[in-house]
Amino acid sequence: MGIPDEDVARVRAATDIVALVGEHAALKRVGQRWVGLCPFHTEKSPSFSVNAEAGFYYCFGCQASGDAITFVREIEHLDFVDAVRRLADKAGITIREDGNSGRDNQKRKVFLDAMEQATEWYHHRLLTGADAGQARDYLRSRGYDGDVVRRFRLGWAPDGWDTLCTSLELTEEVAVGAGLGFVNRRGRIQDAFRARVLFPICDPSGNPVALGGRILPGSTDPAKYKNSTETPIYSKRRTLYALNWAKQDVIKSGEVVVCEGYTDVIGFFEAGVPRAVATCGTALAEEHVRLLKNFATRVVLAFDADGAGQSAAGRFYEWERSLEIDVAVAALPPGSDPADLARSDPAALKAAVEGAKPFLQFRIERILGAADLSTPEGRARGADHALAAVAEHPDDLVRDQYVMQVAERCRLDPASLRDRLERIRRDGPRTAAPDRSSRPDRTPAHARASSDDRDPRGYDGPPDDDAEWDERDEWNAGGRAAGGRPSSSPEFRPGLEALRLAIHRPEDVGDRLEPVLFSDPVQRAAFTALMDADDLGEAIDAAPGRVQALLVRLTVEEPRSDPEEVVVQLVRDTVRRELPLVAVEARTHPEAMEQAATVAGELQELDDPAIRAQAARRLVAWLSVREQQNGIGQDA
Ligand SMILES: [Zn+2]
């Protein structure tokens, strides 16, 4: 089931790794590299680098590294063949494969094409179809103008049995396979959507993979919303509506707003919060959160999260812990949904996201807001209910901060509340879980007003100015400290810098470097691999494990030093290691004495900028000859 090497090479060459990585992480150009937050580990300062020309990435935080194929494998959890296939699809390259896998892939491509055609067809129908008048009126009444309809590629499925399938001449296999049609009892293909306004659901790159359809007011169809069935190109647990449009702002802000409906998402975009997504007819699942985590570390829920049930709390805390994200809840005014609020009061919708609270904070405010805090009995009951919610949080430090809040609000002694909390955690809540009295319609207005109790863990968003990016760049720091003399930073070793030069500016070091100058065996092997290969990619492919890792890493590290300084420093170090050996030889071979004197003289010349280049050349020649004669250095 293999793909021929030359096809793999073609796919690699045709892939723009910066664009590819850019689908999962925001990259910023720094010198010749692209830098951003690593999509493979959680971090708040960027340590992920991409070298566009060479086609490699490297993370200084988690050491993830590789080329475009490795990237797709790791990020999408695919095997090699699937990853190559995915990239070939993107690049429009046909690869030769044996076996069924090629056919499956071919099928996917056909389904994606059909879905794109159908999306466009439905969209055109909504914009121009005579039968779409009612749909256009309805959308207008919801405040959707032509711009919104075009931006979200909304469509209209006419009220016919097979209008789409006939117009696009879809075969049964394609219509059914892509979820656009089904075979009815009389064995005929029928459209999956009839008389519905359609919302195309796309993958993160913007390819439509499914459709969501809404009935018009007055329809007798009992299902208000209907989504495509799952197909080879669509899994609802792994798809989020509008992520393709929201991606950019999600990355920029480090935050994503999760809604329950397509119109809620559009409402957020219209209200100036273009970072909203929605699940497609399913509850928010761990797969969704894993997908989102590639783009942002803060998830703001814009639905009645409390109403989602008690088990939701446990899930959210678990995701916070294991996926290292923050889950907050938008402070929506009681009884409102984002779609309506976007029309009646867009500023309030925006404020609801800005005032989002950690999930537990949100719950406690709800519980206490619904409690009668004017009597001692009411305060005790309110505290008990709040403690039951606090008890579910897995982190004792977090729990304790909320205990103090509850104590203050209910005017009770924190110490006795702590005892009570421990009892609840041990025995379960004495009273029933927070009851129906904590409904949203009784959430007090102040629950959404204050913004002083931010996330206790102090989320501080992604950095966005150059100074911080630079400071975080270990190599830049090392380079600045170096300035020609060896730095104490372990990163600044002339050997590594010479390799960086050999990779990034080969014309500047050219014939001035020789393997003999590299005392570290891995560095030396890396240099030899570079010399022996026609280009960087070939060198990396051919190199063994540790050497390969080093080369990949260096492709994203730019040289910062003057090439001559580096060569001179390398020569000086190597000669200094070698000279004592010459002195030993001189005891038995007197002619070596003369040689030692000459070399010592040339070593001095390395300090004179006017003549050091020639001196370095002579010394490199001497070292190379010596090595051929009797081996040299520590690793010989
Ligand atoms: Zn990383």
Side-chain angles (χ1 to χ4, degrees):
M1 286 305 122
I3 299 171
D5 284 352
E6 60 265 35
D7 280 359
V8 174
R10 275 200 307 146
V11 168
R12 221 185 244 138
T15 299
D16 175 354
I17 190 164
V18 172
L20 175 71
V21 173
E23 287 175 19
H24 302 272
L27 293 177
K28 191 165 170 171
R29 190 165 198 137
V30 178
Q32 292 180 15
R33 297 167 301 146
W34 292 80
V35 179
L37 293 176
C38 178
F40 297 112
H41 83 279
T42 306
E43 59 177 5
K44 294 196 170 167
S45 314
S47 48
F48 190 84
S49 280
V50 178
N51 179 317
E53 243 173 277
F56 290 97
Y57 64 89
Y58 181 82
C59 173
F60 293 90
C62 68
Q63 274 77 46
S65 74
D67 61 7
I69 299 171
T70 329
F71 185 83
V72 172
R73 289 186 64 173
E74 306 271 304
I75 205 101
E76 301 198 30
H77 309 286
L78 298 175
D79 64 20
F80 181 82
V81 172
D82 278 339
V84 174
R85 237 185 249 150
R86 183 69 55 91
L87 290 173
D89 261 6
K90 265 184 201 288
I93 288 175
T94 314
I95 47 178
R96 287 162 292 156
E97 286 182 78
D98 3 288
N100 292 328
S101 47
R103 264 208 306 281
D104 282 355
N105 188 47
Q106 204 52 39
K107 230 186 241 171
R108 272 183 52 89
K109 212 167 136 35
V110 169
F111 293 163
L112 280 171
D113 283 350
M115 192 51 83
E116 170 62 35
Q117 277 183 49
T119 301
E120 200 48 43
W121 189 88
Y122 283 134
H123 180 53
H124 190 250
R125 189 85 176 198
L126 175 64
L127 291 175
T128 62
D131 64 324
Q134 206 198 337
R136 288 193 292 267
D137 288 346
Y138 162 72
L139 290 171
R140 244 177 253 126
S141 78
R142 303 272 317 196
Y144 292 7
D145 57 15
D147 285 347
V148 173
V149 168
R150 283 187 194 89
R151 183 177 193 180
F152 296 96
R153 299 185 78 187
L154 302 188
W156 170 248
D159 193 5
W161 293 108
D162 57 1
T163 323
L164 175 89
C165 291
T166 317
S167 301
L168 296 185
E169 296 175 1
L170 297 180
T171 63
E172 181 184 322
E173 192 196 2
V174 174
V176 175
L180 291 166
F182 61 95
V183 178
N184 67 18
R185 266 175 290 176
R186 285 185 303 175
R188 289 189 44 194
I189 307 177
Q190 203 170 310
D191 289 355
F193 295 93
R194 278 184 66 178
R196 282 175 186 266
V197 171
L198 297 180
F199 298 79
I201 299 162
C202 303
D203 66 16
S205 316
N207 305 306
V209 294
L211 293 160
R214 189 201 191 285
I215 51 166
L216 290 180
S219 161
T220 51
D221 196 324
K224 189 169 163 194
Y225 278 97
K226 180 182 167 182
N227 288 326
S228 294
T229 50
E230 299 225 331
T231 65
I233 55 172
Y234 172 56
S235 150
K236 60 184 176 188
R237 286 176 73 83
R238 269 183 250 157
T239 308
L240 285 156
Y241 174 69
L243 182 55
N244 53 311
W245 294 300
K247 202 165 61 178
Q248 226 179 348
D249 199 61
V250 168
I251 290 169
K252 209 171 84 191
S253 62
E255 174 181 279
V256 61
V257 177
V258 178
C259 317
E260 280 184 325
Y262 309 138
T263 54
D264 291 336
V265 169
I266 294 175
F268 270 110
F269 273 74
E270 289 301 291
V273 186
R275 50 178 179 280
V277 301
T279 52
C280 305
T282 172
L284 190 65
E286 182 171 333
E287 284 98 323
H288 293 131
V289 180
R290 281 187 184 280
L291 174 64
L292 288 175
K293 207 200 123 195
N294 294 329
F295 303 93
T297 54
R298 181 171 159 91
V299 175
V300 176
L301 307 176
F303 53 86
D304 184 7
D306 213 15
Q310 291 291 302
S311 66
R315 278 209 318 273
F316 296 154
Y317 299 143
E318 176 56 25
W319 294 339
E320 289 193 317
R321 195 189 56 74
S322 65
L323 302 178
E324 296 182 60
I325 55 156
D326 294 326
V327 178
V329 182
L332 293 167
S336 68
D337 70 48
D340 294 331
L341 197 57
R343 267 187 305 159
S344 61
D345 191 354
L349 186 58
K350 222 172 158 171
V353 171
E354 278 156 16
K357 305 256 168 69
F359 182 65
L360 183 48
Q361 180 77 52
F362 159 83
R363 292 187 72 197
I364 288 173
E365 284 178 7
R366 258 198 184 188
I367 292 165
L368 295 183
D372 173 11
L373 301 184
S374 67
T375 64
E377 289 81 1
R379 287 196 291 274
R381 201 175 315 124
D384 245 355
H385 288 168
L387 285 181
V390 174
E392 288 168 12
H393 202 286
D395 187 323
D396 54 350
L397 286 180
V398 173
R399 283 200 305 271
D400 203 57
Q401 294 176 66
Y402 285 106
V403 166
M404 289 190 284
Q405 255 188 44
V406 173
E408 198 176 315
R409 288 279 304 277
C410 301
R411 286 184 265 153
L412 290 162
D413 171 27
S416 61
L417 287 189
R418 278 189 194 109
D419 291 345
R420 230 176 160 94
L421 180 71
E422 283 322 301
R423 257 204 320 274
I424 294 173
R425 280 181 58 79
R426 207 177 45 233
D427 311 332
R430 193 163 48 85
T431 47
D435 59 25
R436 291 295 138 212
S437 64
S438 58
R439 297 296 305 173
D441 51 353
R442 297 187 57 188
T443 305
H446 69 258
R448 66 190 155 95
S450 75
S451 60
D452 47 357
D453 29 30
R454 309 266 328 157
D455 184 329
R457 280 186 288 166
Y459 174 77
D460 57 15
D464 58 4
D465 64 273
D466 277 309
E468 190 160 354
W469 289 66
D470 262 8
E471 224 167 71
R472 286 289 162 177
D473 186 327
E474 288 170 38
W475 168 241
N476 285 3
R480 273 198 297 275
R485 69 206 137 73
S487 150
S488 56
S489 158
E491 281 298 305
F492 185 78
R493 282 184 234 119
L496 284 179
E497 182 67 343
L499 285 171
R500 288 185 192 102
L501 286 163
I503 288 170
H504 296 273
R505 293 161 61 187
E507 66 286 355
D508 290 344
V509 280
D511 54 354
R512 292 197 270 174
L513 293 174
E514 289 294 335
V516 67
L517 295 175
F518 295 88
S519 61
D520 177 272
V522 176
Q523 290 179 18
R524 182 177 175 136
F527 180 74
T528 315
L530 285 172
M531 284 211 315
D532 292 347
D534 287 335
D535 61 45
L536 180 59
E538 190 185 300
I540 290 174
D541 275 349
R546 282 180 66 197
V547 177
Q548 191 174 56
L550 176 65
L551 283 171
V552 169
R553 191 189 106 192
L554 295 176
T555 59
V556 299
E557 293 180 342
E558 277 163 63
R560 298 275 162 161
S561 315
D562 173 49
E564 190 169 289
E565 290 279 0
V566 174
V567 172
V568 164
Q569 187 59 45
L570 261 188
V571 172
R572 193 183 276 129
D573 289 353
T574 316
V575 171
R576 279 192 183 142
R577 271 197 309 272
E578 205 55 22
L579 260 184
L581 302 177
V582 180
V584 173
E585 287 162 27
R587 287 188 209 140
T588 47
H589 300 79
E591 70 279 7
M593 204 58 212
E594 198 183 329
Q595 204 185 74
T598 313
V599 168
E602 279 169 340
L603 194 57
Q604 298 261 301
E605 289 176 12
L606 288 180
D607 294 333
D608 182 346
I611 52 173
R612 65 183 186 182
Q614 296 91 312
R617 243 176 250 284
R618 284 194 298 274
L619 287 168
V620 170
W622 173 71
L623 287 166
S624 299
V625 170
R626 247 183 92 73
E627 179 177 54
Q628 274 164 28
Q629 284 168 356
N630 43 10
I632 202 169
Q634 299 148 336
D635 59 312

